[in-house]
């Protein structure tokens, strides 16, 4: 589907068809032309401020490739051994919500204030650089030839 990004704010706030039975709908918007970074950020912010949209994210791909990376509003991270308490304090103070903690000590974290989709990358990098963190990366899905 091709849709001019400048039309996005004109979507009606209430959809005419009832989709209340659907839990997740994924829509990819592809512009007919290149847009600037500022235009992309502005469009993502408008979409993420719509109360009916859980989140809108950029898709990353290599030009001419059929591989896409879809980054979610989540970060996967683990504290260094013995630093779990400090790690959890940092999480609670900084725009993150613990979704779950696995038996392998990996935390699945949700980014609370999500405006453009790039916050996930920033937070994953910020966590990775902290001394309390063993590893941190965005939760993502790779689509190869359009298949997850």
């Amino acid at each position: 589907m091709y849709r001019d990004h400048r039309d996005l704010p004109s979507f009606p706030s209430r959809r005419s068809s009832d989709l209340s039975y659907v839990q997740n709908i994924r829509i990819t918007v592809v512009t007919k032309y290149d847009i600037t970074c500022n235009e992309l950020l502005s469009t993502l912010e408008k979409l993420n401020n719509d109360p009916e949209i859980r989140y809108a994210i950029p898709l990353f791909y290599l030009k001419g490739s059929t591989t896409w990376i879809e980054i979610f509003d989540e970060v996967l991270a683990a504290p260094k051994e013995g630093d779990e308490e400090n790690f959890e304090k940092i999480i609670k103070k900084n725009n993150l919500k613990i979704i779950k903690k696995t038996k392998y000590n990996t935390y699945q974290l949700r980014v609370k204030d999500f405006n453009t989709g790039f916050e996930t990358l920033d937070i994953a990098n910020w966590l990775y650089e902290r001394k309390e963190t063993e590893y941190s990366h965005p939760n993502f899905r790779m689509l190869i030839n359009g298949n997850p």
Side-chain angles (χ1 to χ4, degrees), residues 36-45 48 55-60 71-73 75 95 111 113-126 138:
T36 67
C37 286
N38 286 338
E39 290 172 318
L40 173 64
L41 294 173
S42 173
T43 301
L44 288 168
E45 196 163 349
N48 282 310
Y55 63 85
I57 55 172
L59 293 173
F60 299 93
I71 296 177
F72 302 118
D73 61 341
V75 173
N95 195 19
V111 178
D113 295 327
F114 198 76
N115 293 309
T116 65
F118 290 95
E119 293 86 0
T120 303
L121 293 170
D122 293 338
I123 289 172
N125 287 334
W126 175 79

Short mmCIF file of all heavy atoms in Angstrom, two decimals, residues 36-45 48 55-60 71-73 75 95 111 113-126 138:
data_model
loop_
_atom_site.label_atom_id
_atom_site.label_comp_id
_atom_site.label_asym_id
_atom_site.label_seq_id
_atom_site.Cartn_x
_atom_site.Cartn_y
_atom_site.Cartn_z
N THR A 36 12.44 13.20 4.64
CA THR A 36 13.55 13.61 5.50
C THR A 36 13.40 12.94 6.87
O THR A 36 12.31 12.47 7.23
CB THR A 36 13.57 15.14 5.69
OG1 THR A 36 12.42 15.52 6.44
CG2 THR A 36 13.62 15.87 4.36
N CYS A 37 14.46 12.96 7.64
CA CYS A 37 14.41 12.42 9.01
C CYS A 37 13.38 13.17 9.84
O CYS A 37 12.64 12.56 10.61
CB CYS A 37 15.79 12.50 9.66
SG CYS A 37 16.94 11.30 9.03
N ASN A 38 13.34 14.49 9.71
CA ASN A 38 12.38 15.28 10.48
C ASN A 38 10.95 14.92 10.12
O ASN A 38 10.08 14.87 10.99
CB ASN A 38 12.62 16.78 10.28
CG ASN A 38 13.85 17.26 11.01
OD1 ASN A 38 14.30 16.63 11.97
ND2 ASN A 38 14.40 18.37 10.58
N GLU A 39 10.66 14.70 8.83
CA GLU A 39 9.32 14.30 8.42
C GLU A 39 8.96 12.93 8.99
O GLU A 39 7.85 12.71 9.46
CB GLU A 39 9.20 14.27 6.89
CG GLU A 39 9.24 15.64 6.26
CD GLU A 39 9.31 15.58 4.74
OE1 GLU A 39 10.08 14.74 4.21
OE2 GLU A 39 8.61 16.36 4.10
N LEU A 40 9.92 12.02 8.97
CA LEU A 40 9.69 10.68 9.53
C LEU A 40 9.41 10.76 11.02
O LEU A 40 8.43 10.19 11.52
CB LEU A 40 10.90 9.78 9.27
CG LEU A 40 10.86 8.41 9.96
CD1 LEU A 40 9.71 7.56 9.42
CD2 LEU A 40 12.19 7.69 9.79
N LEU A 41 10.23 11.49 11.75
CA LEU A 41 10.05 11.62 13.20
C LEU A 41 8.71 12.26 13.53
O LEU A 41 8.01 11.83 14.44
CB LEU A 41 11.20 12.40 13.82
CG LEU A 41 12.58 11.74 13.76
CD1 LEU A 41 13.66 12.69 14.26
CD2 LEU A 41 12.60 10.44 14.53
N SER A 42 8.35 13.29 12.80
CA SER A 42 7.08 13.97 13.02
C SER A 42 5.90 13.04 12.78
O SER A 42 4.95 13.01 13.56
CB SER A 42 7.00 15.20 12.10
OG SER A 42 5.73 15.77 12.18
N THR A 43 5.95 12.26 11.71
CA THR A 43 4.88 11.32 11.39
C THR A 43 4.77 10.24 12.45
O THR A 43 3.67 9.92 12.92
CB THR A 43 5.11 10.69 10.01
OG1 THR A 43 5.15 11.73 9.03
CG2 THR A 43 4.01 9.71 9.66
N LEU A 44 5.91 9.68 12.87
CA LEU A 44 5.89 8.64 13.91
C LEU A 44 5.34 9.19 15.22
O LEU A 44 4.56 8.52 15.91
CB LEU A 44 7.30 8.08 14.12
CG LEU A 44 7.83 7.20 13.01
CD1 LEU A 44 9.31 6.93 13.19
CD2 LEU A 44 7.05 5.89 12.94
N GLU A 45 5.72 10.41 15.56
CA GLU A 45 5.23 11.02 16.80
C GLU A 45 3.71 11.20 16.76
O GLU A 45 3.01 10.93 17.73
CB GLU A 45 5.93 12.34 17.05
CG GLU A 45 5.79 12.83 18.45
CD GLU A 45 6.80 13.91 18.80
OE1 GLU A 45 7.74 14.14 18.04
OE2 GLU A 45 6.61 14.51 19.86
N ASN A 48 2.11 7.78 17.19
CA ASN A 48 2.27 7.27 18.55
C ASN A 48 1.45 8.04 19.57
O ASN A 48 1.22 7.56 20.67
CB ASN A 48 3.74 7.21 18.94
CG ASN A 48 4.43 6.01 18.34
OD1 ASN A 48 3.94 4.90 18.46
ND2 ASN A 48 5.54 6.23 17.67
N TYR A 55 1.72 1.39 19.10
CA TYR A 55 2.96 2.04 18.73
C TYR A 55 3.16 1.98 17.22
O TYR A 55 2.65 1.10 16.55
CB TYR A 55 4.18 1.45 19.46
CG TYR A 55 4.48 0.01 19.16
CD1 TYR A 55 5.25 -0.35 18.07
CD2 TYR A 55 4.03 -1.00 19.99
CE1 TYR A 55 5.53 -1.68 17.80
CE2 TYR A 55 4.32 -2.32 19.74
CZ TYR A 55 5.07 -2.65 18.64
OH TYR A 55 5.36 -3.96 18.37
N ALA A 56 3.88 2.96 16.72
CA ALA A 56 4.30 3.00 15.31
C ALA A 56 5.82 3.04 15.32
O ALA A 56 6.42 3.77 16.10
CB ALA A 56 3.73 4.23 14.62
N ILE A 57 6.43 2.25 14.45
CA ILE A 57 7.88 2.12 14.47
C ILE A 57 8.44 2.21 13.06
O ILE A 57 7.77 1.89 12.08
CB ILE A 57 8.30 0.77 15.08
CG1 ILE A 57 7.63 -0.39 14.33
CG2 ILE A 57 8.02 0.72 16.55
CD1 ILE A 57 8.11 -1.74 14.70
N PRO A 58 9.68 2.63 12.95
CA PRO A 58 10.34 2.58 11.65
C PRO A 58 10.79 1.14 11.37
O PRO A 58 11.06 0.37 12.30
CB PRO A 58 11.55 3.49 11.82
CG PRO A 58 11.83 3.48 13.28
CD PRO A 58 10.52 3.25 13.97
N LEU A 59 10.84 0.76 10.12
CA LEU A 59 11.42 -0.52 9.71
C LEU A 59 12.78 -0.19 9.09
O LEU A 59 12.91 0.77 8.36
CB LEU A 59 10.55 -1.22 8.67
CG LEU A 59 9.20 -1.71 9.14
CD1 LEU A 59 8.39 -2.24 7.95
CD2 LEU A 59 9.34 -2.79 10.19
N PHE A 60 13.77 -0.99 9.39
CA PHE A 60 15.11 -0.77 8.87
C PHE A 60 15.42 -1.84 7.83
O PHE A 60 15.11 -3.01 8.03
CB PHE A 60 16.13 -0.84 10.00
CG PHE A 60 15.90 0.20 11.05
CD1 PHE A 60 15.13 -0.07 12.17
CD2 PHE A 60 16.46 1.46 10.92
CE1 PHE A 60 14.91 0.89 13.14
CE2 PHE A 60 16.24 2.43 11.89
CZ PHE A 60 15.48 2.15 12.99
N ILE A 71 11.82 -3.16 14.94
CA ILE A 71 12.19 -2.98 16.35
C ILE A 71 10.94 -2.64 17.14
O ILE A 71 10.22 -1.71 16.80
CB ILE A 71 13.26 -1.90 16.52
CG1 ILE A 71 14.54 -2.35 15.81
CG2 ILE A 71 13.51 -1.61 17.98
CD1 ILE A 71 15.65 -1.34 15.84
N PHE A 72 10.67 -3.41 18.19
CA PHE A 72 9.48 -3.20 19.00
C PHE A 72 9.71 -2.14 20.08
O PHE A 72 10.80 -1.59 20.20
CB PHE A 72 9.06 -4.53 19.66
CG PHE A 72 8.80 -5.62 18.66
CD1 PHE A 72 9.57 -6.76 18.67
CD2 PHE A 72 7.79 -5.49 17.73
CE1 PHE A 72 9.33 -7.78 17.75
CE2 PHE A 72 7.54 -6.49 16.81
CZ PHE A 72 8.31 -7.64 16.82
N ASP A 73 8.71 -1.91 20.90
CA ASP A 73 8.82 -0.95 22.01
C ASP A 73 9.35 -1.63 23.26
O ASP A 73 8.97 -1.32 24.37
CB ASP A 73 7.47 -0.27 22.28
CG ASP A 73 6.39 -1.25 22.70
OD1 ASP A 73 6.53 -2.47 22.45
OD2 ASP A 73 5.37 -0.80 23.27
N VAL A 75 12.93 -3.67 25.24
CA VAL A 75 14.37 -3.90 25.35
C VAL A 75 14.56 -5.19 26.12
O VAL A 75 13.85 -5.45 27.10
CB VAL A 75 15.06 -2.72 26.10
CG1 VAL A 75 16.52 -3.03 26.38
CG2 VAL A 75 14.92 -1.43 25.31
N ASN A 95 11.89 5.45 32.48
CA ASN A 95 11.06 5.21 31.29
C ASN A 95 10.89 3.74 30.92
O ASN A 95 10.67 3.42 29.77
CB ASN A 95 11.68 5.99 30.11
CG ASN A 95 10.74 6.12 28.94
OD1 ASN A 95 9.53 5.96 29.08
ND2 ASN A 95 11.30 6.39 27.77
N VAL A 111 9.31 0.17 26.89
CA VAL A 111 9.60 1.60 26.89
C VAL A 111 8.27 2.32 27.09
O VAL A 111 7.35 2.18 26.30
CB VAL A 111 10.25 2.02 25.56
CG1 VAL A 111 10.51 3.52 25.54
CG2 VAL A 111 11.54 1.24 25.32
N ASP A 113 7.48 5.86 27.51
CA ASP A 113 7.26 7.06 26.69
C ASP A 113 7.82 6.80 25.30
O ASP A 113 9.01 6.93 25.06
CB ASP A 113 7.93 8.28 27.31
CG ASP A 113 7.31 8.64 28.64
OD1 ASP A 113 6.10 8.43 28.80
OD2 ASP A 113 8.04 9.12 29.52
N PHE A 114 6.93 6.44 24.41
CA PHE A 114 7.31 5.99 23.07
C PHE A 114 6.77 7.00 22.07
O PHE A 114 5.57 7.09 21.87
CB PHE A 114 6.69 4.60 22.86
CG PHE A 114 7.30 3.81 21.76
CD1 PHE A 114 8.53 3.21 21.93
CD2 PHE A 114 6.62 3.66 20.56
CE1 PHE A 114 9.08 2.44 20.91
CE2 PHE A 114 7.17 2.90 19.55
CZ PHE A 114 8.40 2.30 19.72
N ASN A 115 7.64 7.80 21.45
CA ASN A 115 7.19 8.84 20.53
C ASN A 115 7.54 8.58 19.07
O ASN A 115 6.74 8.84 18.19
CB ASN A 115 7.76 10.20 20.94
CG ASN A 115 7.19 10.67 22.25
OD1 ASN A 115 5.99 10.68 22.44
ND2 ASN A 115 8.05 11.02 23.18
N THR A 116 8.75 8.10 18.82
CA THR A 116 9.19 7.94 17.43
C THR A 116 9.62 6.51 17.09
O THR A 116 9.78 6.20 15.93
CB THR A 116 10.37 8.86 17.12
OG1 THR A 116 11.49 8.47 17.91
CG2 THR A 116 10.03 10.32 17.36
N GLY A 117 9.83 5.68 18.08
CA GLY A 117 10.35 4.34 17.82
C GLY A 117 11.85 4.26 18.02
O GLY A 117 12.40 3.18 18.23
N PHE A 118 12.52 5.40 17.96
CA PHE A 118 13.96 5.40 18.16
C PHE A 118 14.34 5.40 19.63
O PHE A 118 15.50 5.15 19.97
CB PHE A 118 14.59 6.61 17.44
CG PHE A 118 14.54 6.48 15.94
CD1 PHE A 118 13.52 7.05 15.22
CD2 PHE A 118 15.51 5.75 15.27
CE1 PHE A 118 13.45 6.92 13.84
CE2 PHE A 118 15.45 5.60 13.89
CZ PHE A 118 14.43 6.19 13.17
N GLU A 119 13.37 5.64 20.52
CA GLU A 119 13.64 5.60 21.97
C GLU A 119 14.16 4.23 22.39
O GLU A 119 15.01 4.11 23.25
CB GLU A 119 12.38 5.92 22.77
CG GLU A 119 11.88 7.32 22.63
CD GLU A 119 10.95 7.50 21.43
OE1 GLU A 119 10.69 6.53 20.70
OE2 GLU A 119 10.50 8.63 21.22
N THR A 120 13.64 3.18 21.75
CA THR A 120 14.08 1.82 22.08
C THR A 120 15.57 1.66 21.84
O THR A 120 16.29 1.09 22.67
CB THR A 120 13.29 0.78 21.26
OG1 THR A 120 11.90 0.97 21.51
CG2 THR A 120 13.68 -0.63 21.63
N LEU A 121 16.05 2.17 20.72
CA LEU A 121 17.49 2.10 20.42
C LEU A 121 18.30 2.90 21.43
O LEU A 121 19.33 2.43 21.93
CB LEU A 121 17.76 2.63 19.01
CG LEU A 121 17.21 1.80 17.86
CD1 LEU A 121 17.35 2.56 16.55
CD2 LEU A 121 17.92 0.46 17.78
N ASP A 122 17.84 4.11 21.73
CA ASP A 122 18.55 4.96 22.68
C ASP A 122 18.65 4.31 24.06
O ASP A 122 19.70 4.31 24.69
CB ASP A 122 17.86 6.32 22.81
CG ASP A 122 17.93 7.14 21.54
OD1 ASP A 122 18.83 6.89 20.71
OD2 ASP A 122 17.09 8.04 21.38
N ILE A 123 17.53 3.76 24.53
CA ILE A 123 17.51 3.16 25.87
C ILE A 123 18.34 1.88 25.91
O ILE A 123 19.08 1.64 26.87
CB ILE A 123 16.06 2.91 26.33
CG1 ILE A 123 15.41 4.27 26.62
CG2 ILE A 123 16.00 2.00 27.54
CD1 ILE A 123 13.94 4.22 26.89
N ALA A 124 18.27 1.06 24.86
CA ALA A 124 19.08 -0.16 24.82
C ALA A 124 20.57 0.19 24.86
O ALA A 124 21.34 -0.45 25.58
CB ALA A 124 18.75 -0.98 23.57
N ASN A 125 20.96 1.20 24.11
CA ASN A 125 22.37 1.63 24.12
C ASN A 125 22.76 2.22 25.47
O ASN A 125 23.85 1.93 25.99
CB ASN A 125 22.63 2.66 23.01
CG ASN A 125 22.64 2.03 21.64
OD1 ASN A 125 22.93 0.86 21.48
ND2 ASN A 125 22.30 2.82 20.64
N TRP A 126 21.89 3.04 26.03
CA TRP A 126 22.17 3.64 27.34
C TRP A 126 22.35 2.56 28.41
O TRP A 126 23.28 2.62 29.21
CB TRP A 126 21.03 4.59 27.70
CG TRP A 126 21.14 5.18 29.06
CD1 TRP A 126 21.94 6.22 29.44
CD2 TRP A 126 20.45 4.75 30.23
NE1 TRP A 126 21.77 6.47 30.78
CE2 TRP A 126 20.87 5.58 31.29
CE3 TRP A 126 19.53 3.75 30.49
CZ2 TRP A 126 20.38 5.42 32.58
CZ3 TRP A 126 19.05 3.60 31.76
CH2 TRP A 126 19.47 4.42 32.80
N PRO A 138 17.60 -3.97 21.66
CA PRO A 138 16.17 -3.84 21.37
C PRO A 138 15.58 -5.22 21.08
O PRO A 138 16.26 -6.10 20.55
CB PRO A 138 16.12 -2.99 20.11
CG PRO A 138 17.47 -2.37 19.98
CD PRO A 138 18.42 -3.28 20.68
#
